[in-house]
Amino acid sequence: MEMPGRTFIARHGETVFNAARRMQGVAIDTPLTRAGFAQADAMGAALASYLGTDVPPLALWASTSGRALQTLAVVCEHIGADWHTALHDARLCEIDVGKWGGRTYAEISAEQGPIVDAEHHLFSTRPPGGEWYDGIATRLSAWVDTARHDSGDRLVLMHGISSRVLRGLLTSVVPDRRWGCGVAANLSQGSMVMIENGRETVVVHGDGAAPA
């Protein structure tokens, strides 16, 4: 999908759920750990360095989840942006894990066997009562139709899986029948990329390995 200007996409920092390997999905209040704040600091510093001293106006977007909004607040400090102008959009939220929400990966795997495709770092089975990747692509496609009217560049703060689907849309990753859409390669927690004219550049590689 085409998107004018530059789109900076960041994955939020580690949360208390991530540290415990607990499913959070669309959970609203899962606060950042100290490692998560450090990752947010690193992203903010890297973005400030990338943009240089003459920082262009950025449209600020974030999922409605607290972990995304917390991370955005730290990044905004580094680039001198006003967090209060950010648009909060539920279409940017993480995959809905349905009945798995709040439970640990270990508990679920003990009941029904492996649930993650280790090669691709994606769920190998649909969460009961939850979403699949094609559904995420549908809501993010609608978001792109809205955000393409931004004047100038944009910074988007979101999540591990949903950001991979958005990156797949914006870089025209070939759809995979297993996922029902194109999904970009995994990036560690606390990572940020820049996409322009369908090409992706990594701004910073995060140091987190926690699940989304």
Side-chain angles (χ1 to χ4, degrees):
M1 299 184 71
E2 293 184 4
M3 179 76 100
R6 297 181 297 179
T7 302
F8 294 88
I9 301 174
R11 182 179 176 185
H12 68 76
E14 181 192 74
T15 71
V16 294
F17 270 43
N18 293 143
R21 293 193 59 80
R22 191 174 293 278
M23 296 271 189
Q24 56 194 339
V26 295
I28 294 297
D29 297 317
T30 54
L32 300 184
T33 62
R34 286 185 296 173
F37 279 110
Q39 291 161 359
D41 262 325
M43 284 193 289
L47 180 58
S49 176
Y50 190 93
L51 294 174
T53 55
D54 188 18
V55 178
L58 287 173
L60 303 177
W61 290 88
S63 98
T64 52
S65 297
R67 56 197 186 271
L69 295 168
Q70 275 189 303
T71 305
L72 178 62
V74 176
V75 174
C76 283
E77 284 188 43
H78 282 273
I79 62 173
D82 183 356
W83 180 90
H84 294 88
T85 66
L87 296 169
H88 306 176
D89 198 312
R91 293 174 294 184
L92 298 170
C93 284
E94 183 57 298
I95 185 171
D96 184 347
V97 294
K99 294 182 179 179
W100 289 349
R103 304 187 65 201
T104 66
Y105 282 74
E107 289 171 345
I108 299 165
S109 296
E111 290 179 359
Q112 61 184 75
I115 58 172
V116 175
D117 181 318
E119 178 184 356
H120 299 93
H121 302 281
L122 294 168
F123 291 130
S124 54
T125 184
R126 181 173 185 150
E131 255 182 326
W132 200 237
Y133 304 98
D134 54 353
I136 301 172
T138 297
R139 59 176 161 91
L140 287 174
S141 294
W143 174 81
V144 169
D145 286 340
T146 300
R148 62 163 41 107
H149 299 295
D150 291 334
S151 57
D153 301 331
R154 62 196 61 80
L155 169 61
V156 187
L157 214 305
M158 48 194 310
H159 307 266
I161 290 176
S162 60
S163 67
R164 291 178 64 182
V165 175
L166 179 58
R167 290 166 49 221
L169 288 171
L170 296 183
T171 60
S172 300
V173 172
V174 176
D176 188 309
R177 61 180 178 79
R178 289 169 294 181
W179 324 126
C181 64
V183 181
N186 186 50
L187 287 174
S188 299
Q189 202 151 38
S191 294
M192 181 186 294
V193 302
M194 186 278 290
I195 298 176
E196 184 176 23
N197 297 324
R199 300 186 66 177
E200 181 177 275
T201 301
V202 176
V203 176
V204 60
H205 280 287
D207 61 4

